[in-house]
Amino acid sequence: MDDRTILGSLARSAELSSDKDVVRFVGGESRTAAALLQDAAVFAGLLGEAGVRPGDRVAIMTSNRVEFLWAFFGAAHAGAISVPLNTSLRGPILEHMVRDSAPAVVVVETTFFDAVLPVLRAVGSKARILAVHDGEPDPAWEEHEVRYLPAALHGEGPPPVPTDRYADASILYTSGTTGPSKGVLHSHNSIVAFGENADWMFEYQRDDVLHNCLPLFHANALCVTLLPALRAGAAAVFGRRFSASGFWAEVCDEGATTTSILGAMVPILWGAPERADDADNKVRTALCVPTPAADVYEAFERRFGIRLVSQYGMTDTSSIIGTPPSVTGRPGYAGVLHPDFECIVVDEHDHPVPDGVAGEGLVRPRKPDVMMRGYWNNPTATLDAFRNLWFHTGDVLIRDPDGWFRFVDRSKDAMRRFGENISSFEVESVISLHPAVEEVAVYAVPSELSEDEVMATVVFRAGVDGDLAEIGRHCDDNLPYFASPRFLVSADALPKTANQKVRKDVLRKAGVTTDALDRGHRGRSRTARTGS
């Protein structure tokens, strides 16, 4: 068996890890690699009975539980292509993904039946359903030939379908905030390489315990934690979801030595009341994206007794920039370039810009088959992304003369006001420094003067009597006039995806609501008159 495949990585783990549990679910089941290999074989038999053939797609819509692994490795055993789906999806977005991937089988947790059934009907899907259930079967699903999975798998199962490292392995859909979601198609080799790029930063060892509380449908949990843990002979432990109050207790209880702290998790953990035992954990390294500001970076490491590493990457490219142990991290920087990749920063015509100047990041590999193959069923988007022999990230980066890269913003989140370009990331960083602020999202809203107006939605810390006018003054004092938000509004929470990314598309759609503070074009506060 080729060990640079999904199933080969599991077989490698079985050789390295003996009888130890290599995957654990907090509050749930655990599995050795040998047991998972057996589960994969039996599940592949179930897929075969449902009509799955090599090259067919197997969609997976479950929470973090052992049945996700049955389906993921079972699809690989059967020579099929796994399609992990975001469990928060509903309606048209989910319809698009199901129509686009055309799965032969959908493995779905009964919790998500109400989302999946209307979609299958809407697209006319003939997919058979393998249902993961914790209660009584729902007879309403009989018309879809539902087969309810047992609590445990038994039997032998068929032999694995011969698969080499260059075969299609998995389709991972992007968030699709600027258009229809694109299915990122990875080969077995490229998804293994994704994990190796994470190992470049973490240097996983056989006695490591890799913790992740993000959902398994997300590339971070799947490719930065699960696969590299298996290939290192280490163990991976998955929580069901992020909990600010329970995060460090879970990390300690599971004996984690590495973890991922992404997106809104960073300011939430930092803003929690300090405890005497904050550093009483075994974590040596935590992936932290975005990197905390300079006044927090070292203090965060000291408080929690960990080393922070950062990275820049995409589902499409894997982690291409990061901070391996050979370098010392820098606040506000993503890191240095992985040796398997080239990266340049360019203007709108794809001409390189000088170091220190912001532009779009373009990437290409130095080795074959270590990035995505392309976008599933979308040759036009694939050609557009790879134009001029470079992959266009759509992200704004800055390269320093010494080779360090700084992420500035997603291109779609960049704004232009008074003739100046504005980074939402940088404005958010300033607002986050205010002691009353728990979280913030900054985004563009239409301006009657053309270009953009800058708006911020602020979540104040619990127990704080938040004052939007004070936040405005803080912005005026710490930002150039063109970047200081015109509109400020408070909210109890920011809309987020299941992997803790802020849904700025939702905030943009809401626009300037009647409860927003309108500070005027140059920061003069007044009540907003613009409706939603």
Side-chain angles (χ1 to χ4, degrees):
M1 183 184 298
D2 189 339
D3 93 327
R4 293 190 66 81
T5 62
I6 289 173
L7 202 64
S9 297
L10 186 53
R12 175 186 173 115
S13 177
E15 293 178 359
L16 293 173
S17 57
S18 186
D19 294 329
K20 78 175 181 183
D21 290 331
V22 297
V23 180
R24 303 198 302 267
F25 293 93
V26 176
E29 298 190 55
S30 301
R31 283 291 191 279
T32 66
L36 281 173
L37 281 170
Q38 180 67 18
D39 291 341
V42 177
F43 200 89
L46 298 178
L47 293 176
E49 292 172 9
V52 171
R53 299 294 179 262
D56 284 348
R57 273 74 61 206
V58 175
I60 311 169
M61 197 172 190
T62 79
S63 55
N64 283 3
R65 54 191 300 160
V66 71
E67 290 87 351
F68 181 100
L69 302 182
W70 291 356
F72 181 69
F73 291 114
H77 190 107
I81 301 171
S82 58
V83 187
L85 294 174
N86 187 322
T87 56
S88 65
L89 295 176
R90 301 290 185 274
I93 298 177
L94 184 56
E95 285 183 21
H96 164 70
M97 293 180 184
V98 172
R99 185 183 292 110
D100 188 54
S101 60
V105 163
V106 178
V107 181
V108 58
E109 193 172 328
T110 51
T111 306
F112 310 115
F113 271 12
D114 289 343
V116 172
L117 178 56
V119 164
L120 295 177
R121 287 173 173 164
V123 305
S125 173
K126 302 298 183 182
R128 295 190 177 185
I129 297 166
L130 296 181
V132 179
H133 67 98
D134 295 315
E136 292 298 318
D138 185 349
W141 281 69
E142 291 177 0
E143 63 182 276
H144 289 275
E145 301 184 62
V146 175
R147 180 169 184 177
Y148 289 86
L149 294 175
L153 297 179
H154 302 285
E156 294 299 321
V161 171
T163 303
D164 69 33
R165 65 186 65 182
Y166 303 110
D168 295 340
S170 195
I171 300 171
L172 306 176
Y173 277 91
T174 60
S175 57
T177 55
T178 58
S181 300
K182 298 189 289 291
V184 175
L185 176 63
H186 276 284
S187 70
H188 286 269
N189 191 74
S190 66
I191 208 166
V192 165
F194 204 139
E196 289 174 333
N197 293 349
D199 191 29
W200 171 66
M201 292 180 291
F202 283 96
E203 292 191 345
Y204 297 123
Q205 306 297 319
R206 290 174 65 173
D207 58 353
D208 271 333
V209 177
L210 286 57
H211 171 268
N212 203 308
C213 62
L214 297 174
L216 273 162
F217 62 72
H218 186 251
N220 179 272
L222 198 61
C223 303
V224 176
T225 300
L226 176 63
L227 289 175
L230 295 176
R231 295 186 63 79
V237 58
F238 295 97
R240 292 190 67 84
R241 63 184 62 86
F242 171 68
S243 165
S245 60
F247 179 82
W248 290 113
E250 182 174 288
V251 163
C252 291
D253 291 345
E254 298 298 331
T257 57
T258 74
T259 191
S260 289
I261 306 173
L262 306 185
M265 296 163 65
V266 179
I268 290 174
L269 291 174
W270 177 248
E274 289 195 46
R275 295 166 51 101
D277 61 352
D278 273 345
D280 291 347
N281 60 73
K282 295 181 180 180
V283 175
R284 72 168 192 278
T285 307
L287 176 62
C288 185
V289 181
T291 310
D295 62 336
V296 172
Y297 191 98
E298 292 184 1
F300 193 101
E301 289 187 320
R302 288 194 302 271
R303 173 178 169 183
F304 297 110
I306 60 178
R307 174 182 182 264
L308 296 179
V309 297
S310 190
Q311 65 100 43
Y312 167 78
M314 306 169 67
T315 304
D316 323 49
T317 65
S318 82
S319 302
I320 60 170
I321 292 168
T323 51
S326 58
V327 304
T328 301
R330 298 181 185 178
Y333 283 79
V336 297
L337 188 62
H338 189 286
D340 287 351
F341 294 90
E342 297 178 71
C343 181
I344 58 173
V345 181
V346 302
D347 62 19
E348 65 270 26
H349 303 295
D350 286 359
H351 294 300
V353 299
D355 287 341
V357 175
E360 183 181 6
L362 307 190
V363 179
R364 64 186 178 195
R366 298 180 184 272
K367 291 183 176 180
D369 202 41
V370 294
M371 281 175 50
M372 71 164 186
R373 317 208 94 166
Y375 296 116
W376 174 262
N377 205 27
N378 199 339
T380 300
T382 301
L383 288 172
D384 182 62
F386 283 99
R387 65 187 181 275
N388 290 333
L389 303 180
W390 290 89
F391 176 80
H392 289 63
T393 66
D395 292 336
V396 180
L397 305 178
I398 293 176
R399 182 189 185 276
D400 280 3
D402 62 358
W404 278 75
F405 286 85
R406 181 159 58 94
F407 171 81
V408 178
D409 219 331
R410 304 293 181 190
S411 294
K412 61 180 178 291
D413 288 340
M415 296 166 283
R416 189 170 179 84
R417 185 178 182 220
F418 299 133
E420 300 283 352
N421 292 320
I422 304 166
S423 161
S424 66
F425 176 81
E426 293 178 339
V427 179
E428 288 165 352
S429 297
V430 168
I431 297 177
S432 295
L433 294 176
H434 194 284
V437 174
E438 175 79 24
E439 294 183 85
V440 62
V442 173
Y443 47 97
V445 292
S447 169
E448 66 267 34
L449 301 178
S450 74
E451 296 188 315
D452 300 312
E453 289 290 358
V454 181
M455 185 165 181
T457 296
V458 178
V459 178
F460 289 106
R461 298 194 187 281
V464 172
D465 186 14
D467 183 352
L468 290 175
E470 165 60 25
I471 299 301
R473 290 190 289 272
H474 170 76
C475 292
D476 292 341
D477 291 340
N478 294 281
L479 289 167
Y481 75 94
F482 57 83
S484 191
R486 173 178 176 177
F487 298 108
L488 294 166
V489 68
S490 64
D492 292 333
L494 298 177
K496 298 188 184 79
T497 66
N499 54 21
Q500 295 298 304
K501 289 184 179 179
V502 175
R503 291 285 308 278
K504 290 191 179 181
D505 55 321
V506 173
L507 297 173
R508 291 189 194 97
K509 185 176 181 179
V512 183
T513 52
T514 54
D515 58 340
L517 175 67
D518 181 353
R519 306 177 58 245
H521 296 298
R522 303 273 176 167
R524 179 172 54 86
S525 296
R526 56 185 176 142
T527 302
R529 294 195 299 265
T530 307
S532 60

